[in-house]
Amino acid sequence: MRSTLLGAALAVTLASPAAASFQSCVAGLKQEAAQQGVSRAILDRALDISAPDEKVLRLSTVQPEFKTPIWDYLAFLVDEERVTQGRAMMRRYDSILRAAERQFGVDRFVIAAVWGVETDFGQEAGSSFLPHALATLTCASNRRTSFWKGELMAALKLVQRGDLSLDKLYGSWAGAFGQTQFIPSTYQRLAVDFDGDGRRDLVSSVADALGSTANYLKRAGWRQGESWMFEVRVPAGYNGPTGRRNKAPLSTWAQRGVTRADGSPLSGGAQAGLLLPAGPNGPGFLVFRNFDAIYSYNQAESYALAISHLADRMAGYPPLRTPWPTDDPGLSRAQRLQLQKLLIAQGYDIGEADGKIGPATREAIAAAEQRLGMPPTGRAGNRIYRALGGR
Ligand SMILES: [Ca+2]
């Protein structure tokens, strides 16, 4: 037995020093987790991995070669379909959302909007097995390895603690998982058992996921009853202060010529910053302390704008008043899917239509644009959509 094991280890070493070093790294992770109280039974099942997950490594090094315009990003995340479905989900989970709003003081439309943007209301939570993904990132990537190791340990402890079984640890390649995509360390710190069954299960329990999101936003500084954002209009050619952190009272913004989107005056002392994500000729937004709480969920202003706007739309507010400064607006998810079908019908080989605009779709769009005598942008916008017969 002993000699067989040694033989196997030797063979691996001879075959590939990288594989052997990966395996010894994983063995080290198991030992460290065991010392932190995770059982051998859990570890043997969780870290039954002999080579890095190549897909995770690939995803972790992808540089976004395509800068998404803000109007594309919002057209995708806040389309009519998501607004309608969001309203239906809010009716269905009304008592949970109201209970979370009461207990944590966080507006229920914002809680639901996080859910809608993160996983399309629980439908797209990711398919990477977290222990393998995080072990891969710890042992085979060369960036942020101590961060990934911490996330791996946190994930294993959630299982050890009895919050989740191993087979629920599926999420994004970078470790975010569950209905509202917490990373394991955040889960460990801030998840709550909101349905009262004794376990914090943000994968299968909508109540636990929504309660935990409310708790997150509360801890991020949410102020009960205050605004998060509203659309405004700035004077033509505005070149005054902007930025989330450049906050001033509404009365100061009024002096600078800023009005509500419908032209009505601003007043009051609430502190807000001005965002002009597409410059002074596009929609403007005054954003408040609660916007910063939403921002902290994913550290991106476009993300916080999408959550804020989806919350408003689900609450019954109209679409943005000021159009984006483009003659080629973005597409909804349904239109993206339709665009792919139109490309396939024209003979472009982009695989199956799935509504996800990847490199193959972008190449086909650029080719179609060229064929139609349009500048080849590769972007899934309204112009190519119409040109191919979409409506
Ligand atoms: Ca629970």
Side-chain angles (χ1 to χ4, degrees), residues 193-201 205 208:
D193 169 25
F194 204 55
D195 63 12
D197 71 351
R199 299 183 305 115
R200 304 179 302 170
D201 181 353
S205 165
D208 287 4

Side-chain angles (χ1 to χ4, degrees), residues 111-136:
I111 302 170
V114 171
W115 188 27
V117 165
E118 288 292 346
T119 63
D120 201 15
F121 308 99
Q123 293 177 83
E124 287 186 21
S127 58
S128 293
F129 184 53
L130 259 54
H132 288 186
L134 294 168
T136 293

Side-chain angles (χ1 to χ4, degrees), residues 38-55:
V38 181
S39 78
R40 275 285 160 189
I42 291 172
L43 289 170
D44 287 344
R45 282 193 299 135
L47 293 173
D48 175 20
I49 174 175
S50 56
D53 182 332
E54 293 297 333
K55 189 179 172 203

